[in-house]
Amino acid sequence: SYGRITATASYLPPKVVTNDDLAKVMETSDEWIASRTGIRQRHIAENENTSDLCIHVANTLLQKVKKQSSDLDFIIIATMTPDYHTPSVACMVQGAIQATNAYAFDISVACSGFVYALSLANKLIQTGAKCGLVIGGEVLSKMLDWQDRSTAVLFGDGAAGVVLEASDQPMIVKEKLYSNGSLGQALTSGLVETTDYQKTVHPLQMEGRAIFDFATRTVVQSVKELLADEAQSVDYFLLHQANARILDIFAKKLQVPREKFLQNIQHYGNTSAATIPLLLDEAVGDGTIILGGKQKIILTGFGGGLTWGNLLLQV
Ligand SMILES: O=C(O)C1CCN(c2ccc(-c3cc(CO)ccc3Cl)cn2)CC1
């Protein structure tokens, strides 16, 4: 068997914070944020943590495929902002939905999380599992330094995911995952330091230029290598939503029409592991992507670790 996506779902915390809202509390402007990133607003969790967002997604997914939680063999949550170090968000979700037959675990590869998790889940199905959930979920707002305008304006909260079920039709046509830990200091979040009994949790910090260049050079190259001469046959490119200008650069370097690069960063900001499933769920919801329609799409994640990865799917 092979893993096949049979449903998608997402959940955004209700509070919307616009660029103008941020301009009231820090030195920035809607003009700067929108022109440099493409972001116009983001959802910010209040009294909800990452597990709460993921539980909403899990329940919606089960409703969509009309399955019981006991039908699930596994739950994988991709997150860089877990509620706890332990229990995992995945185990919290399992407990909340009573998925008594599932094994559950988180994976932590920042914005490549959903791509890594989907690749791994496919292998669980290929080695005998029948059905599972793969969800990317983040509450990045709790990790941000709201005095640092260079990062505070970029990120948002949200969760989205898929049901993966056993099928005799392969969905993942080609894939390659990468990491380069020697560049990991370019994007850090949540360092816990204890000096003379004082516990300090460091906020998200990013060397923007270095990551931007990594995305528009190394990651572009990896997509070129995966697609070889098939770039023109791909219907849609679903890239991690880190910055709208990155989509422009990818389209130009791959010589593919810009409209093939789906974009929703304007509504959500960068929700790290949730950006790709959120984009996929919206595209399925509005009929752009049809599950079972044989379209060719590529999922490309890139970010903290540093990590990156490409999955070429025939959905
Ligand atoms: O134009 C400017 O001055 C700035 C220049 C720097 N920018 C950046 C730089 C890097 C990222 C980013 C973040 C992650 C983390 O998920 C992953 C992947 C990327 Cl490429 C997002 N924005 C914002 C506009």
Side-chain angles (χ1 to χ4, degrees):
S1 297
Y2 304 93
R4 177 153 287 280
I5 294 171
T6 55
T8 64
S10 44
Y11 175 80
L12 283 307
K15 183 174 173 62
V16 171
V17 174
T18 66
N19 292 348
D20 285 331
D21 292 333
L22 291 179
K24 292 188 186 97
V25 296
M26 67 180 78
E27 263 305 294
T28 187
S29 71
D30 175 49
E31 196 282 326
W32 189 94
I33 300 168
S35 63
R36 305 296 291 251
T37 70
I39 301 165
R40 295 197 170 280
Q41 65 178 47
R42 71 286 293 146
H43 290 249
I44 299 295
E46 294 178 306
N47 317 313
E48 284 183 301
N49 211 330
T50 305
S51 59
D52 301 294
L53 278 54
C54 294
I55 290 163
H56 282 291
V57 174
N59 283 319
T60 308
L61 286 171
L62 288 172
Q63 283 161 14
K64 287 193 175 180
V65 291
K66 298 182 177 41
K67 282 186 183 296
Q68 305 299 320
S69 57
S70 54
D71 295 329
L72 296 174
D73 297 314
F74 62 85
I75 299 171
I76 305 177
I77 305 286
T79 186
M80 63 180 273
T81 55
D83 301 42
Y84 301 96
H85 287 166
T86 199
S88 64
V89 174
C91 283
M92 296 176 79
V93 172
Q94 181 199 17
I97 68 172
Q98 286 296 290
T100 49
N101 296 314
Y103 52 93
F105 57 99
D106 291 358
I107 72 165
S108 171
V109 279
C111 322
S112 308
F114 183 76
V115 164
Y116 272 54
L118 190 59
S119 169
L120 186 64
N122 185 45
K123 291 168 183 63
L124 299 181
I125 301 266
Q126 286 178 293
T127 53
K130 289 286 169 274
C131 175
L133 303 186
V134 181
I135 298 172
E138 306 286 8
V139 173
L140 285 153
S141 56
K142 72 190 179 192
M143 301 310 296
L144 298 176
D145 170 358
W146 289 97
Q147 309 308 314
D148 174 8
R149 66 181 180 176
S150 75
T151 51
V153 304
L154 303 179
F155 296 95
D157 303 339
V162 302
V163 178
L164 203 69
E165 293 190 65
S167 160
D168 54 9
Q169 294 294 318
M171 177 184 71
I172 298 183
V173 173
K174 235 173 170 184
E175 65 173 299
K176 193 157 172 49
L177 306 177
Y178 306 78
S179 58
N180 180 352
S182 64
L183 299 177
Q185 289 307 305
L187 198 155
T188 58
S189 171
L191 170 71
V192 181
E193 238 179 347
T194 47
T195 38
D196 20 302
Y197 303 103
Q198 288 300 315
K199 202 181 294 305
T200 316
V201 179
H202 291 240
L204 187 149
Q205 294 174 284
M206 183 173 75
E207 291 164 20
R209 189 78 258 153
I211 304 257
F212 199 95
D213 290 347
F214 152 72
T216 57
R217 294 171 187 167
T218 307
V219 183
V220 169
Q221 187 51 35
S222 74
V223 173
K224 277 185 178 172
E225 282 167 20
L226 187 96
L227 293 180
D229 54 358
E230 293 178 71
Q232 305 312 322
S233 71
V234 174
D235 294 296
Y236 293 105
F237 292 74
L238 282 74
L239 268 56
H240 168 49
Q241 301 289 290
N243 186 292
R245 288 184 292 134
I246 290 177
L247 306 186
D248 301 337
I249 295 167
F250 263 76
K252 201 171 296 168
K253 289 191 170 183
L254 292 171
Q255 297 179 302
V256 164
R258 173 64 170 79
E259 44 281 354
K260 286 194 170 186
F261 287 80
L262 301 186
Q263 178 184 325
N264 65 5
I265 194 171
Q266 59 273 24
H267 300 134
Y268 307 114
N270 180 343
T271 57
S272 188
T275 68
I276 291 176
L278 199 49
L279 202 55
L280 180 61
D281 181 47
E282 286 194 333
V284 168
D286 70 20
T288 302
I289 290 176
I290 299 148
L291 295 181
K294 301 267 181 268
Q295 287 162 303
K296 281 177 107 174
I297 66 173
I298 184 161
L299 311 185
T300 296
F302 49 92
L306 295 181
T307 59
W308 63 112
N310 303 303
L311 305 180
L312 179 60
L313 310 186
Q314 180 152 47
V315 291

